[in-house]
Amino acid sequence: MQILGLYNYWIFIVLMMCGFYVVISRGNLVKKLVGLNIFQTSVFILYISMGKIIGGTAPILTETATVYSNPVPHVLILTAIVVGIATTALGLALVVRINEAYGTIEEDEIHAQSEDEAL
Amino acid sequence: MTEHLPALQVVIPLMAAPLCALLRPGRIAWMLAMTACTLCLLIAALLLERVLAEGVISYAMGNWPAPWGIEYRIDTVNAYMLLLVTMIGAVVMAFARPTLEQRAHLSKRKQPWFYTTYLLCLTGLLGMIITGDAFNVFVFLEISSLSSYVLISIGRDRRALTAAYQYLIMGTIGATFILIGIGFLYVMTGTLNMLDLAARLPAVADTRTVRAAFAFLTIGISLKLALFPLHLWLPNAYAYAPSAVTAFLAATATKVAIYVMLRFFFTIFGAQFSFETMGLDAILLPLALAGIFSASVVAIFQTNVKRMLAYSSVAQIGYMILGISLVSVTGLTATISHLFNHALMKGTLFMALGCVSYQIGAVRLDRLAGIGRTMPWTMGAFVIGGLSLIGVPLTAGFVSKWLLILGALERGWWPVALLVLLTSLLAVIYIWRVVEVAYFRPAPEDRKIGEAPLVLLIPTWTLALANLYFGLDTSLNAGVARLAAQSLLGVTQ
Amino acid sequence: MNPEALLLLALFIPLLSALFIAANDAHPNRRELATLLASLLLLGVVLSLLPVVASGARPTVDLFEFASGLPLRLSVEPLGMLFAAVAALLWPLNSLYSIGYMRGNQEQHQTRFYVCFAIAIASAIGIAFSGNLLTLFIFYETLTLSTYPLVTHKGNADAMRAGRLYLGILIGTSIGLLLLAIIWTGLIAGTLEFTPGGILAGKMEGPTVAILLALYMFGIGKAALMPFHRWLPAAMVAPTPVSALLHAVAVVKAGVFTVMKVVVYVFGIDFLAVTGASQWLIWVAALTLLLASIVALTKDNLKARLAYSTVSQLSYVVLGAALATSMGVIGGSMQIVMHAMGKITLFFCAGAIYTAAHKTEISQLDGLGRVMPFTFGAFLIGALSIIGLPPLGGSWSKWYLLMGAADTGQLVMIAVLIISSLLNVAYLLPIVGRGFFAPTPAHDPDTAHHPDPHPASTADNQHATAGSPPPDGNRIHEAPLACVVPLCLTAFGCVLLFFYADPLYELLATIVRTTP
């Protein structure tokens, strides 16, 4: 029961592993970034769910509510989301430049071209 | 005014960065950036002086008291690191301008953006050092990382792009691991302030969450500091980045990551938890030795000198980790001392190489033939840096080598001491390969090159002479380093 | 002037002269005058320290703190005084000779040569006057590095290979073994100061003493103990004044001096004698002594033969130290001086022969003694001194070493010393014999095809380059005066040392006597 009750953490783990796997296994540079995004998003979920308190409301002072969710992790993760977006944007920009320079965004083809250069 | 120095340390480069982007032409932007860097250096020196005289400085950012607000907390360790980073930052900034303007490497329009990114990177590094807040470390880490990806991708070679991309992927994974680790710590303690964390963690230390946090942080930071075998991003990134960027990153970025490692292991988790409960030294020691040995051997076989030095950096990081794994005041002093000394020697070496590539446009070993005669000053600086890397007496490198061996012998670790010495002989081999090509092979007949311009030589020699100076006067890189080590281990004098 | 100031002056005179020489790249005369003046000045300074030390004073100067409680310290004691005096005495002679040789052979990069030479001398002085192991190590390494450009002076592939070996062995042993030994010593003894009677006695025991001693002995690569002797013959590619510097003035002398210093002031001879930790070293030294002599016999290249002779002669010093008796130490220390004077004479002669006749092989020397009588006469004196025959200085050191061996009852060692002397005779005297008594070859087959391009200018033959050697033996004269004068002086020095060995003995006896 406890295991199921922590389903949000299970989602975090599954997403994290999925994202990580995509980053490692894909040779396509854009797909790698997609994987990286999933990986980062999973952490967002971790932070968001750790701030949630069952029965708590949004942290706004009202007379009816006595239990509030913890706002700090949510605020923290806003920062992390911004960072994630910046990373994705930069990553995609690099992919565009790589495509211009190599004419491909497949890792093994780029690798082959680089090998030629090294010789 | 002086009580706001901790904030200014970060705010000055942060504010100067967007201003640089607005200024035209590049030279004006450079002047602003240079001013900002110099101010940072000045502030860092003042801070170190104050810390040594008066003890820890605590600064509540935005006047929100700790542990709720973000605290900037400066003790001996980070005051020392601030000085190191700002010093390298200023010297390399002086070096950067001519290398960018040369052969239209960056168009006039783009040059100010370089300074912007550089200052942002500096901001991130300084922020990581100065802050007393665990999450803040992550934020500044990402600021410095994102800007360093951009800086690397500026490299002339198209492989710089793939190197930057590779670094981006690895770096982001590392940073995300750190983020997860910090999250777990927050779950268990409800605080992000480092001191507060340190106070509350022992109560919950024996939980799976804290141990998982420890693991995530270890891996994440190790990725950022390029601990063997997580170093794969480093050689390409250093080899294809512009010379100035390589000099800057090699001398600062990995050092700051090691500083973060020290902070987390010693200040937050405490040496007892990290090393006795979790047995971290048993992991770090073999990795450090393997890193030192394998990277040194690989360095010997490189044909690209920049890449060779990049591998040498991986090996040198191994020495620093080795010092940590000794878990003693002497060992830690060796690490902290080597942070500084290695920054000096690698800064010198990469800047000397920058002078070479400025003149001949390449850093392949065979293209360096005969430059010992045509570029005597540049190669002179290279030789000094190389000797320091080897650890010859009267150079800064000797100081750290001495401390490291002393630390190993104190623990009675004979084979380790012997290995450290043997691997420094590997450094002799790879440095001397360059020296022999530069001094003994005749220069090609058709090449008409002279010495690098003075604007490049001055910063290069500044660091080269610093190598010699800090080999003689060790009050900073051994004296203060020892104080820092003592404060990390909680040992009172 | 007070002795402390003299001490600093001794270190800084050569360093400042290096700066001055570097600044006068374009003025050879001024540059060489500076070298000569500095060397004479240094000699004066070092000699004026001599009575101070002889009277028992130990002037000490701390340069700065390397780490807390670990200063860079200069301090004079008799052994170091002796080594400094050797270096200071031979520097002016070597400078004079260098000027003759370098000009005579029209060598390149002469400024670099003089600068590095001056730095090497400064390092040697630093080693001689070092007050603790750290200081000694630092100057030991600067000596290695400053002599590297000298060894590779010619800048060709041979020089590069020699330089590789030179640096590889010297840096390898010093960083790999010596540094380890020093740090270990510091850890055990809690100090790195050179203290009469040693600092290790009572702090360690058993086989670890022998291990530490081995780290030191093999770590001091400059002492050329086999199997770390290869750099010395390899370094023969360097110009002859450099070989003289390596073999007589500074480098190998720094090595054996360090050996002596470590044995006397770090271990203490009593401690070694009690623990017997140096027994193995006696055998290694004896082996090196004999093997190197035998190898020397097989060499036809004059400088290579002299190089192996040096390897062998150095082992006399190591042997003296390993015997761990006062006579052994005195004999070994004396050998530093005697060998320096004898070997520099031999190298000066070899260089003079090369400058005047461009001969490098012993088999080419037939009859040359009759045209170069001074050179060959000096060679004879030097050789006899090396062999250890009276009335030459070398006989004293051999004598004391024999006494030392007798003291310990090492009859085998007495035999080794005698055999070695016979070997010395066998490889040194035939050189002189060829020079004086072998018939002059009718004409040189190598140069028979090249008629003299400048038949009128016989005076120019002294400045002949390798490309146009003198056509036959009749044209060969003595080497330039700047070469011949120093070698006559050093040969005379060998004789002088025989008659004035007593003050040396007195000086050295104090280091053994102060042993508590």
Side-chain angles (χ1 to χ4, degrees):
Chain A
M1 204 45 226
Q2 206 195 358
I3 291 176
L4 278 182
L6 296 172
Y7 68 92
N8 45 343
Y9 291 104
W10 285 110
I11 293 175
F12 153 63
I13 291 171
V14 169
L15 273 179
M16 184 174 124
M17 285 302 133
C18 287
F20 203 33
Y21 176 75
V22 173
V23 174
I24 294 169
S25 64
R26 292 299 111 174
N28 183 305
L29 298 186
V30 175
K31 286 183 184 166
K32 261 183 193 294
L33 279 180
V34 171
L36 199 67
N37 261 309
I38 297 172
F39 181 64
Q40 286 180 304
T41 311
S42 72
V43 185
F44 304 162
I45 291 175
L46 169 73
Y47 267 74
I48 292 165
S49 51
M50 75 170 79
K52 167 73 183 169
I53 290 168
I54 294 168
T57 66
I60 303 164
L61 267 181
T62 59
E63 293 189 353
T64 52
T66 51
V67 182
Y68 302 103
S69 285
N70 183 354
V72 177
H74 299 171
V75 177
L76 293 182
I77 217 59
L78 261 176
T79 320
I81 290 170
V82 175
V83 168
I85 290 169
T87 311
T88 313
L90 179 59
L92 287 173
L94 280 175
V95 173
V96 171
R97 289 278 310 277
I98 288 173
N99 192 32
E100 283 170 8
Y102 287 87
T104 174
I105 54 166
E106 289 298 326
E107 203 172 32
D108 39 1
E109 290 172 26
I110 294 168
H111 199 64
Q113 289 190 32
S114 296
E115 292 276 278
D116 296 341
E117 253 165 88
L119 288 178
Chain B
M1 183 63 191
T2 48
E3 73 267 25
H4 291 297
L5 283 181
L8 286 174
Q9 179 82 87
V10 179
V11 168
I12 286 178
L14 185 65
M15 286 297 146
L19 278 179
C20 274
L22 297 175
L23 289 174
R24 295 286 181 280
R27 195 166 286 241
I28 305 282
W30 175 78
M31 277 160 76
L32 176 68
M34 195 64 221
T35 316
C37 286
T38 319
L39 278 177
C40 280
L41 176 59
L42 218 65
I43 293 172
L46 285 174
L47 282 175
L48 179 64
E49 198 192 341
R50 250 179 77 191
V51 167
L52 288 178
E54 299 164 20
V56 179
I57 302 171
S58 172
Y59 178 85
M61 198 64 179
N63 233 350
W64 294 88
W68 297 282
I70 291 170
E71 183 194 13
Y72 278 9
R73 197 179 168 77
I74 308 164
D75 59 8
T76 330
V77 193
N78 46 10
Y80 172 88
M81 288 301 295
L82 286 174
L83 185 68
L84 164 66
V85 171
T86 50
M87 189 177 82
I88 300 289
V91 174
V92 177
M93 180 54 97
F95 181 85
R97 190 182 54 77
T99 58
L100 292 180
E101 291 173 358
Q102 179 229 13
R103 293 184 207 147
H105 181 180
L106 269 188
S107 66
K108 281 222 157 52
R109 203 169 47 80
K110 285 183 187 159
Q111 278 169 20
W113 291 104
F114 173 87
Y115 303 122
T116 303
T117 331
Y118 185 98
L119 284 175
L120 280 177
C121 190
L122 186 67
T123 309
L125 294 173
L126 293 175
M128 275 158 86
I129 297 169
I130 205 169
T131 186
D133 182 283
F135 193 81
N136 214 223
V137 170
F138 165 76
V139 175
F140 278 119
L141 172 78
E142 281 296 30
I143 292 178
S144 76
S145 300
L146 284 167
S147 40
S148 59
Y149 308 145
V150 177
L151 288 175
I152 289 168
S153 70
I154 294 175
R156 207 184 286 266
D157 196 302
R158 64 176 178 172
R159 278 170 291 184
L161 296 171
T162 44
Y165 181 86
Q166 198 186 7
Y167 185 23
L168 179 135
I169 298 285
M170 300 272 265
T172 306
I173 292 173
T176 311
F177 269 41
I178 295 174
L179 184 61
I180 297 172
I182 294 172
F184 283 171
L185 289 183
Y186 182 74
V187 168
M188 295 310 291
T189 60
T191 183
L192 290 167
N193 183 281
M194 287 182 184
L195 276 192
D196 213 21
L197 273 171
R200 291 176 192 221
L201 266 177
V204 291
D206 195 26
T207 55
R208 196 175 294 166
T209 318
V210 171
R211 285 198 289 267
F214 186 78
F216 272 114
L217 284 168
T218 308
I219 304 286
I221 299 171
S222 301
L223 252 169
K224 294 302 297 187
L225 64 80
L227 174 64
F228 177 88
L230 302 173
H231 66 281
L232 295 173
W233 58 268
L234 188 143
N236 277 336
Y238 283 14
Y240 301 120
S243 313
V245 173
T246 312
F248 179 60
L249 290 182
T252 57
T254 47
K255 309 292 173 303
V256 174
I258 288 179
Y259 161 79
V260 171
M261 184 179 236
L262 292 173
R263 258 305 167 228
F264 271 94
F265 288 166
F266 289 92
T267 306
I268 295 182
F269 287 103
Q272 189 173 3
F273 176 81
S274 307
F275 297 98
E276 282 173 34
T277 317
M278 300 301 288
L280 188 67
D281 44 346
I283 302 168
L284 290 185
L285 179 69
L287 287 184
L289 287 177
I292 294 171
F293 194 75
S294 64
S296 298
V297 171
V298 173
I300 292 174
F301 295 101
Q302 298 303 314
T303 49
N304 179 325
V305 182
K306 238 166 140 186
R307 213 176 151 82
M308 177 195 96
L309 290 178
Y311 274 106
S312 148
S313 278
V314 177
Q316 299 292 320
I317 288 162
Y319 287 119
M320 298 172 209
I321 299 298
L322 185 65
I324 297 179
S325 70
L326 292 171
V327 209
S328 66
V329 173
T330 314
L332 217 51
T333 310
T335 300
I336 297 171
S337 176
H338 200 47
L339 287 175
F340 188 86
N341 302 335
H342 182 244
L344 292 183
M345 54 181 99
K346 270 296 151 61
T348 311
L349 287 170
F350 277 121
M351 285 190 345
L353 270 189
C355 294
V356 172
S357 82
Y358 183 89
Q359 290 298 97
I360 65 177
V363 288
R364 284 245 310 281
L365 190 57
D366 49 354
R367 297 285 303 276
L368 263 56
I371 59 165
R373 288 196 199 96
T374 48
M375 304 176 68
W377 286 97
T378 303
M379 283 316 284
F382 187 92
V383 169
I384 293 177
L387 291 177
S388 191
L389 188 73
I390 294 165
V392 170
L394 296 182
T395 60
F398 179 65
V399 180
S400 34
K401 201 137 283 176
W402 176 277
L403 289 167
L404 194 58
I405 292 165
L406 193 64
L409 289 187
E410 268 179 7
R411 292 283 310 257
W413 290 358
W414 275 98
V416 173
L418 213 60
L419 265 176
V420 168
L421 290 168
L422 289 183
T423 47
S424 48
L425 299 181
L426 294 177
V428 178
I429 299 179
Y430 59 72
I431 288 297
W432 232 256
R433 277 178 76 219
V434 181
V435 170
E436 284 185 353
V437 170
Y439 284 95
F440 290 101
R441 267 200 226 156
E445 294 292 323
D446 55 330
R447 198 167 70 201
K448 290 264 183 292
I449 54 152
E451 185 53 87
L454 211 58
V455 277
L456 291 182
L457 283 178
I458 289 173
T460 311
W461 268 89
T462 307
L463 276 196
L465 292 177
N467 268 302
L468 298 178
Y469 177 77
F470 287 107
L472 290 172
D473 178 6
T474 60
S475 55
L476 181 66
N477 57 346
V480 177
R482 178 164 288 269
L483 291 180
Q486 281 166 341
S487 86
L488 276 178
L489 279 168
V491 183
T492 47
Q493 287 138 285
Chain C
M1 211 187 282
N2 66 336
E4 279 77 15
L6 286 175
L7 190 54
L8 283 177
L9 217 53
L11 186 64
F12 284 104
I13 286 171
L15 281 181
L16 292 178
S17 77
L19 278 181
F20 187 79
I21 294 166
N24 282 295
D25 187 18
H27 308 92
N29 289 332
R30 216 185 287 173
R31 173 185 76 196
E32 279 144 33
L33 190 68
T35 308
L36 278 175
L37 279 182
S39 61
L40 288 173
L41 211 58
L42 178 67
L43 181 62
V45 168
V46 170
L47 287 184
S48 60
L49 271 170
L50 198 58
V52 179
V53 180
S55 68
R58 300 285 180 266
T60 301
V61 181
D62 282 2
L63 289 180
F64 51 83
E65 292 265 297
F66 176 74
S68 54
L70 198 56
L72 221 62
R73 173 170 293 168
L74 295 180
S75 172
V76 194
E77 44 72 53
L79 196 57
M81 190 62 237
L82 205 65
F83 175 43
V86 170
L89 189 67
L90 297 185
W91 189 28
L93 294 174
N94 204 343
S95 302
L96 189 61
Y97 181 82
S98 304
I99 295 167
Y101 182 93
M102 299 303 274
R103 291 194 171 184
N105 288 303
Q106 293 166 7
E107 295 274 352
Q108 301 287 307
H109 306 297
Q110 292 198 19
T111 303
R112 187 180 76 192
F113 173 88
Y114 289 112
V115 169
C116 290
F117 211 105
I119 296 175
I121 294 290
S123 314
I125 297 287
I127 292 174
F129 290 156
S130 52
N132 56 28
L133 274 169
L134 176 76
T135 318
L136 191 142
F137 182 75
I138 288 174
F139 284 115
Y140 184 95
E141 293 294 55
T142 46
L143 181 59
T144 309
L145 291 172
S146 61
T147 43
Y148 174 80
L150 294 174
V151 170
T152 58
H153 186 86
K154 293 223 162 76
N156 52 20
D158 274 346
M160 187 178 84
R161 264 195 300 280
R164 225 181 248 178
L165 207 59
Y166 184 77
L167 210 64
I169 291 182
L170 290 187
I171 293 269
T173 51
S174 66
I175 289 188
L177 305 172
L178 183 58
L179 183 59
L180 190 67
I182 291 175
I183 297 179
W184 190 12
T185 307
L187 212 57
I188 292 174
T191 175
L192 291 173
E193 292 303 303
F194 290 122
T195 316
I199 51 176
L200 286 170
K203 304 261 175 56
M204 63 192 305
E205 54 189 11
T208 45
V209 183
I211 293 174
L212 182 59
L213 185 69
L215 280 180
Y216 272 115
M217 292 306 133
F218 292 116
I220 303 166
K222 289 198 175 90
L225 209 56
M226 279 185 179
F228 294 120
H229 67 286
R230 286 279 305 123
W231 61 272
L232 195 48
M236 287 291 95
V237 296
T240 308
V242 176
S243 304
L245 172 80
L246 292 177
H247 288 256
V249 185
V251 179
V252 295
K253 290 297 169 306
V256 286
F257 167 74
T258 310
V259 167
M260 255 325 161
K261 194 116 178 172
V262 164
V263 165
V264 175
Y265 291 106
V266 174
F267 285 91
I269 52 175
D270 294 337
F271 178 56
L272 280 183
V274 170
T275 53
S278 60
Q279 285 299 316
W280 64 270
L281 186 59
I282 297 182
W283 292 99
V284 174
L287 203 68
T288 307
L289 213 141
L290 291 180
L291 278 180
S293 291
I294 293 168
V295 176
L297 267 178
T298 65
K299 298 286 175 193
D300 187 40
N301 183 299
L302 181 56
K303 280 170 83 179
R305 184 173 287 192
L306 293 181
Y308 274 99
S309 157
T310 302
V311 175
S312 152
Q313 295 291 319
L314 290 177
S315 282
Y316 279 92
V317 184
V318 179
L319 182 69
L323 286 171
T325 63
S326 33
M327 278 303 153
V329 169
I330 290 175
S333 311
M334 228 177 234
Q335 169 76 357
I336 295 180
V337 184
M338 303 303 180
H339 175 251
M341 199 56 94
K343 199 41 80 62
I344 200 168
T345 311
L346 298 189
F347 271 106
F348 280 174
C349 293
I353 294 168
Y354 175 74
T355 311
H358 288 274
K359 304 276 196 265
T360 55
E361 307 301 310
I362 293 164
S363 50
Q364 301 169 342
L365 298 182
D366 290 354
L368 218 54
R370 290 193 289 276
V371 283
M372 303 176 69
F374 284 107
T375 304
F376 274 76
F379 194 98
L380 178 66
I381 295 175
L384 291 177
S385 181
I386 297 279
I387 294 163
L389 290 177
L392 294 161
S395 54
W396 286 112
S397 54
K398 302 284 154 76
W399 172 249
Y400 285 118
L401 280 173
L402 275 174
M403 299 228 314
D407 277 354
T408 54
Q410 299 267 9
L411 293 182
V412 186
M413 288 308 136
I414 296 178
V416 166
L417 286 171
I418 292 172
I419 294 173
S420 162
S421 285
L422 292 179
L423 284 170
N424 290 346
V425 173
Y427 68 72
L428 283 175
L429 287 189
I431 302 172
V432 189
R434 268 176 185 277
F436 281 124
F437 303 120
T440 310
H443 57 249
D444 206 325
D446 288 342
T447 49
H449 314 291
H450 306 288
D452 192 356
H454 311 290
S457 56
T458 39
D460 273 13
N461 279 341
Q462 290 175 356
H463 299 278
T465 58
S468 58
D472 59 78
N474 295 332
R475 288 286 178 80
I476 298 171
H477 300 273
E478 279 284 6
L481 210 58
C483 286
V484 178
V485 170
L487 62 88
C488 290
L489 284 176
T490 53
F492 183 61
C494 291
V495 183
L496 218 56
L497 278 174
F498 178 78
F499 296 103
Y500 290 93
D502 206 44
L504 269 184
Y505 179 84
E506 284 303 316
L507 190 64
L508 285 170
T510 56
I511 60 172
V512 204
R513 226 177 280 145
T514 48
T515 311

